[in-house]
Amino acid sequence: MFDIAWSEMAIIAAVALVVIGPKDLPRVLKTIGQMTAKARAMAREFQNSLDELAREAELESLKKDVEQAAGLDVANEIKAAVDPDGEMAKTIQATEAEMAAVAAPVSAAEPAAESLPVPEPANTPEPAPALEPETAPMPVAKTGTQA
């Protein structure tokens, strides 16, 4: 944490022993340990608070992204990507109109399909009779043990 070597720790311990004295040294070390534990706990709590704020900020940005995606009209986005100036749609409409104009006179001139005579099927040869299976005796396998 403070990057103190063992030799430096030994010098600090020797000075503390001389200044504080052997009688009060354990109590001082215990107090320093408790203060260090409290400082670490406060640092941990502070770090957790910062992490929680970061998660909340992340959640807010995700929430905005989801709301933006929910309001997105996918069909219009695809149309805009495929045919941005609407030229394809105009061409398709013109082609459909031409096909409808050509198909209308033809269908009015032709009689309905229901009134057309149905041709008789041509003579088809009769299927050959099925062959009977041969009735040869089947060999029987012997089971069991011989005595």
Side-chain angles (χ1 to χ4, degrees):
M1 182 164 86
F2 293 111
D3 197 25
I4 299 175
W6 283 106
S7 60
E8 295 169 347
M9 292 280 278
I11 293 172
I12 292 171
V15 170
L17 184 62
V18 171
V19 172
I20 298 171
K23 182 178 171 185
D24 294 328
L25 189 60
R27 190 170 20 123
V28 170
L29 291 177
K30 180 180 176 183
T31 305
I32 291 174
Q34 289 174 346
M35 290 177 150
T36 305
K38 285 181 183 179
R40 285 184 178 179
M42 288 173 46
R44 190 176 328 117
E45 185 178 329
F46 180 71
Q47 183 66 39
N48 288 340
S49 298
L50 289 178
D51 289 344
E52 186 177 333
L53 286 174
R55 278 193 302 267
E56 287 177 8
E58 245 180 65
L59 289 176
E60 278 297 318
S61 68
L62 287 175
K63 183 179 176 183
K64 287 178 184 177
D65 290 345
V66 168
E67 288 173 354
Q68 184 181 14
L72 184 67
D73 187 10
V74 177
N76 286 338
E77 290 294 324
I78 292 173
K79 284 180 185 177
V82 173
D83 189 20
D85 57 352
E87 188 65 31
M88 288 174 57
K90 292 175 188 174
T91 305
I92 291 172
Q93 288 174 352
T95 306
E96 288 176 349
E98 289 175 8
M99 291 179 74
V102 171
V106 172
S107 63
E110 291 182 2
E114 297 171 353
S115 63
L116 292 177
V118 177
E120 292 291 324
N123 290 338
T124 57
E126 293 184 23
L131 298 175
E132 293 183 21
E134 294 182 24
T135 56
M138 298 290 288
V140 178
K142 294 182 179 181
T143 59
T145 60
Q146 294 179 348

PDB file of all heavy atoms in Angstrom, residues 59-74 77:
ATOM      1  N   LEU A  59     -27.630   1.749 -16.783  1.00  0.00           N
ATOM      2  CA  LEU A  59     -29.027   1.358 -16.916  1.00  0.00           C
ATOM      3  C   LEU A  59     -29.841   2.458 -17.582  1.00  0.00           C
ATOM      4  O   LEU A  59     -30.730   2.182 -18.391  1.00  0.00           O
ATOM      5  CB  LEU A  59     -29.618   1.002 -15.550  1.00  0.00           C
ATOM      6  CG  LEU A  59     -29.126  -0.305 -14.935  1.00  0.00           C
ATOM      7  CD1 LEU A  59     -29.712  -0.475 -13.533  1.00  0.00           C
ATOM      8  CD2 LEU A  59     -29.506  -1.482 -15.800  1.00  0.00           C
ATOM      9  N   GLU A  60     -29.541   3.698 -17.256  1.00  0.00           N
ATOM     10  CA  GLU A  60     -30.252   4.815 -17.884  1.00  0.00           C
ATOM     11  C   GLU A  60     -29.996   4.834 -19.389  1.00  0.00           C
ATOM     12  O   GLU A  60     -30.920   5.015 -20.180  1.00  0.00           O
ATOM     13  CB  GLU A  60     -29.824   6.150 -17.253  1.00  0.00           C
ATOM     14  CG  GLU A  60     -30.528   6.469 -15.965  1.00  0.00           C
ATOM     15  CD  GLU A  60     -32.025   6.644 -16.134  1.00  0.00           C
ATOM     16  OE1 GLU A  60     -32.458   7.274 -17.123  1.00  0.00           O
ATOM     17  OE2 GLU A  60     -32.764   6.130 -15.292  1.00  0.00           O
ATOM     18  N   SER A  61     -28.739   4.638 -19.774  1.00  0.00           N
ATOM     19  CA  SER A  61     -28.436   4.650 -21.209  1.00  0.00           C
ATOM     20  C   SER A  61     -29.076   3.461 -21.908  1.00  0.00           C
ATOM     21  O   SER A  61     -29.586   3.592 -23.020  1.00  0.00           O
ATOM     22  CB  SER A  61     -26.927   4.662 -21.445  1.00  0.00           C
ATOM     23  OG  SER A  61     -26.354   3.440 -21.033  1.00  0.00           O
ATOM     24  N   LEU A  62     -29.088   2.296 -21.254  1.00  0.00           N
ATOM     25  CA  LEU A  62     -29.759   1.138 -21.833  1.00  0.00           C
ATOM     26  C   LEU A  62     -31.258   1.373 -21.957  1.00  0.00           C
ATOM     27  O   LEU A  62     -31.882   0.992 -22.947  1.00  0.00           O
ATOM     28  CB  LEU A  62     -29.491  -0.111 -20.988  1.00  0.00           C
ATOM     29  CG  LEU A  62     -28.094  -0.703 -21.094  1.00  0.00           C
ATOM     30  CD1 LEU A  62     -27.947  -1.862 -20.115  1.00  0.00           C
ATOM     31  CD2 LEU A  62     -27.818  -1.173 -22.500  1.00  0.00           C
ATOM     32  N   LYS A  63     -31.842   2.012 -20.943  1.00  0.00           N
ATOM     33  CA  LYS A  63     -33.270   2.306 -20.969  1.00  0.00           C
ATOM     34  C   LYS A  63     -33.592   3.238 -22.134  1.00  0.00           C
ATOM     35  O   LYS A  63     -34.576   3.035 -22.850  1.00  0.00           O
ATOM     36  CB  LYS A  63     -33.690   2.944 -19.640  1.00  0.00           C
ATOM     37  CG  LYS A  63     -35.162   3.220 -19.527  1.00  0.00           C
ATOM     38  CD  LYS A  63     -35.492   3.825 -18.169  1.00  0.00           C
ATOM     39  CE  LYS A  63     -36.950   4.198 -18.084  1.00  0.00           C
ATOM     40  NZ  LYS A  63     -37.273   4.846 -16.819  1.00  0.00           N
ATOM     41  N   LYS A  64     -32.756   4.247 -22.349  1.00  0.00           N
ATOM     42  CA  LYS A  64     -32.971   5.167 -23.467  1.00  0.00           C
ATOM     43  C   LYS A  64     -32.862   4.427 -24.796  1.00  0.00           C
ATOM     44  O   LYS A  64     -33.657   4.665 -25.711  1.00  0.00           O
ATOM     45  CB  LYS A  64     -31.965   6.312 -23.418  1.00  0.00           C
ATOM     46  CG  LYS A  64     -32.237   7.308 -22.318  1.00  0.00           C
ATOM     47  CD  LYS A  64     -31.188   8.397 -22.286  1.00  0.00           C
ATOM     48  CE  LYS A  64     -31.411   9.342 -21.118  1.00  0.00           C
ATOM     49  NZ  LYS A  64     -30.348  10.358 -21.035  1.00  0.00           N
ATOM     50  N   ASP A  65     -31.883   3.523 -24.908  1.00  0.00           N
ATOM     51  CA  ASP A  65     -31.725   2.750 -26.137  1.00  0.00           C
ATOM     52  C   ASP A  65     -32.946   1.877 -26.409  1.00  0.00           C
ATOM     53  O   ASP A  65     -33.412   1.776 -27.544  1.00  0.00           O
ATOM     54  CB  ASP A  65     -30.474   1.871 -26.066  1.00  0.00           C
ATOM     55  CG  ASP A  65     -29.188   2.675 -26.112  1.00  0.00           C
ATOM     56  OD1 ASP A  65     -29.249   3.872 -26.491  1.00  0.00           O
ATOM     57  OD2 ASP A  65     -28.131   2.106 -25.778  1.00  0.00           O
ATOM     58  N   VAL A  66     -33.484   1.252 -25.359  1.00  0.00           N
ATOM     59  CA  VAL A  66     -34.663   0.394 -25.520  1.00  0.00           C
ATOM     60  C   VAL A  66     -35.874   1.229 -25.914  1.00  0.00           C
ATOM     61  O   VAL A  66     -36.651   0.840 -26.792  1.00  0.00           O
ATOM     62  CB  VAL A  66     -34.929  -0.407 -24.224  1.00  0.00           C
ATOM     63  CG1 VAL A  66     -36.292  -1.063 -24.251  1.00  0.00           C
ATOM     64  CG2 VAL A  66     -33.845  -1.441 -24.024  1.00  0.00           C
ATOM     65  N   GLU A  67     -36.050   2.381 -25.284  1.00  0.00           N
ATOM     66  CA  GLU A  67     -37.173   3.245 -25.637  1.00  0.00           C
ATOM     67  C   GLU A  67     -37.051   3.735 -27.074  1.00  0.00           C
ATOM     68  O   GLU A  67     -38.045   3.808 -27.803  1.00  0.00           O
ATOM     69  CB  GLU A  67     -37.249   4.431 -24.675  1.00  0.00           C
ATOM     70  CG  GLU A  67     -37.721   4.059 -23.290  1.00  0.00           C
ATOM     71  CD  GLU A  67     -37.639   5.221 -22.302  1.00  0.00           C
ATOM     72  OE1 GLU A  67     -37.114   6.286 -22.674  1.00  0.00           O
ATOM     73  OE2 GLU A  67     -38.098   5.045 -21.164  1.00  0.00           O
ATOM     74  N   GLN A  68     -35.839   4.036 -27.492  1.00  0.00           N
ATOM     75  CA  GLN A  68     -35.629   4.483 -28.865  1.00  0.00           C
ATOM     76  C   GLN A  68     -35.933   3.340 -29.842  1.00  0.00           C
ATOM     77  O   GLN A  68     -36.550   3.556 -30.876  1.00  0.00           O
ATOM     78  CB  GLN A  68     -34.192   4.957 -29.041  1.00  0.00           C
ATOM     79  CG  GLN A  68     -33.900   5.525 -30.419  1.00  0.00           C
ATOM     80  CD  GLN A  68     -32.452   5.957 -30.541  1.00  0.00           C
ATOM     81  OE1 GLN A  68     -31.626   5.605 -29.716  1.00  0.00           O
ATOM     82  NE2 GLN A  68     -32.160   6.710 -31.576  1.00  0.00           N
ATOM     83  N   ALA A  69     -35.518   2.124 -29.506  1.00  0.00           N
ATOM     84  CA  ALA A  69     -35.775   0.977 -30.377  1.00  0.00           C
ATOM     85  C   ALA A  69     -37.259   0.633 -30.405  1.00  0.00           C
ATOM     86  O   ALA A  69     -37.776   0.182 -31.426  1.00  0.00           O
ATOM     87  CB  ALA A  69     -34.968  -0.231 -29.911  1.00  0.00           C
ATOM     88  N   ALA A  70     -37.970   0.852 -29.301  1.00  0.00           N
ATOM     89  CA  ALA A  70     -39.398   0.547 -29.256  1.00  0.00           C
ATOM     90  C   ALA A  70     -40.185   1.502 -30.157  1.00  0.00           C
ATOM     91  O   ALA A  70     -41.190   1.120 -30.754  1.00  0.00           O
ATOM     92  CB  ALA A  70     -39.915   0.623 -27.829  1.00  0.00           C
ATOM     93  N   GLY A  71     -39.737   2.731 -30.290  1.00  0.00           N
ATOM     94  CA  GLY A  71     -40.435   3.696 -31.125  1.00  0.00           C
ATOM     95  C   GLY A  71     -40.030   3.630 -32.583  1.00  0.00           C
ATOM     96  O   GLY A  71     -40.516   4.391 -33.408  1.00  0.00           O
ATOM     97  N   LEU A  72     -39.162   2.706 -32.933  1.00  0.00           N
ATOM     98  CA  LEU A  72     -38.648   2.592 -34.292  1.00  0.00           C
ATOM     99  C   LEU A  72     -39.650   1.859 -35.174  1.00  0.00           C
ATOM    100  O   LEU A  72     -40.154   0.801 -34.802  1.00  0.00           O
ATOM    101  CB  LEU A  72     -37.323   1.817 -34.260  1.00  0.00           C
ATOM    102  CG  LEU A  72     -36.575   1.672 -35.565  1.00  0.00           C
ATOM    103  CD1 LEU A  72     -36.085   3.042 -36.018  1.00  0.00           C
ATOM    104  CD2 LEU A  72     -35.400   0.748 -35.375  1.00  0.00           C
ATOM    105  N   ASP A  73     -39.964   2.430 -36.340  1.00  0.00           N
ATOM    106  CA  ASP A  73     -40.855   1.787 -37.300  1.00  0.00           C
ATOM    107  C   ASP A  73     -39.980   1.010 -38.281  1.00  0.00           C
ATOM    108  O   ASP A  73     -39.366   1.589 -39.179  1.00  0.00           O
ATOM    109  CB  ASP A  73     -41.705   2.832 -38.025  1.00  0.00           C
ATOM    110  CG  ASP A  73     -42.763   2.201 -38.907  1.00  0.00           C
ATOM    111  OD1 ASP A  73     -42.958   0.965 -38.803  1.00  0.00           O
ATOM    112  OD2 ASP A  73     -43.386   2.932 -39.698  1.00  0.00           O
ATOM    113  N   VAL A  74     -39.912  -0.302 -38.090  1.00  0.00           N
ATOM    114  CA  VAL A  74     -39.001  -1.139 -38.846  1.00  0.00           C
ATOM    115  C   VAL A  74     -39.346  -1.135 -40.328  1.00  0.00           C
ATOM    116  O   VAL A  74     -38.464  -1.058 -41.187  1.00  0.00           O
ATOM    117  CB  VAL A  74     -39.006  -2.584 -38.281  1.00  0.00           C
ATOM    118  CG1 VAL A  74     -38.114  -3.484 -39.105  1.00  0.00           C
ATOM    119  CG2 VAL A  74     -38.566  -2.585 -36.835  1.00  0.00           C
ATOM    120  N   GLU A  77     -38.146   2.010 -41.951  1.00  0.00           N
ATOM    121  CA  GLU A  77     -36.693   2.027 -41.993  1.00  0.00           C
ATOM    122  C   GLU A  77     -36.166   1.139 -43.122  1.00  0.00           C
ATOM    123  O   GLU A  77     -35.218   1.500 -43.823  1.00  0.00           O
ATOM    124  CB  GLU A  77     -36.097   1.571 -40.649  1.00  0.00           C
ATOM    125  CG  GLU A  77     -36.305   2.549 -39.520  1.00  0.00           C
ATOM    126  CD  GLU A  77     -35.567   3.853 -39.725  1.00  0.00           C
ATOM    127  OE1 GLU A  77     -34.441   3.839 -40.265  1.00  0.00           O
ATOM    128  OE2 GLU A  77     -36.121   4.907 -39.357  1.00  0.00           O
TER     129      GLU A  77
END
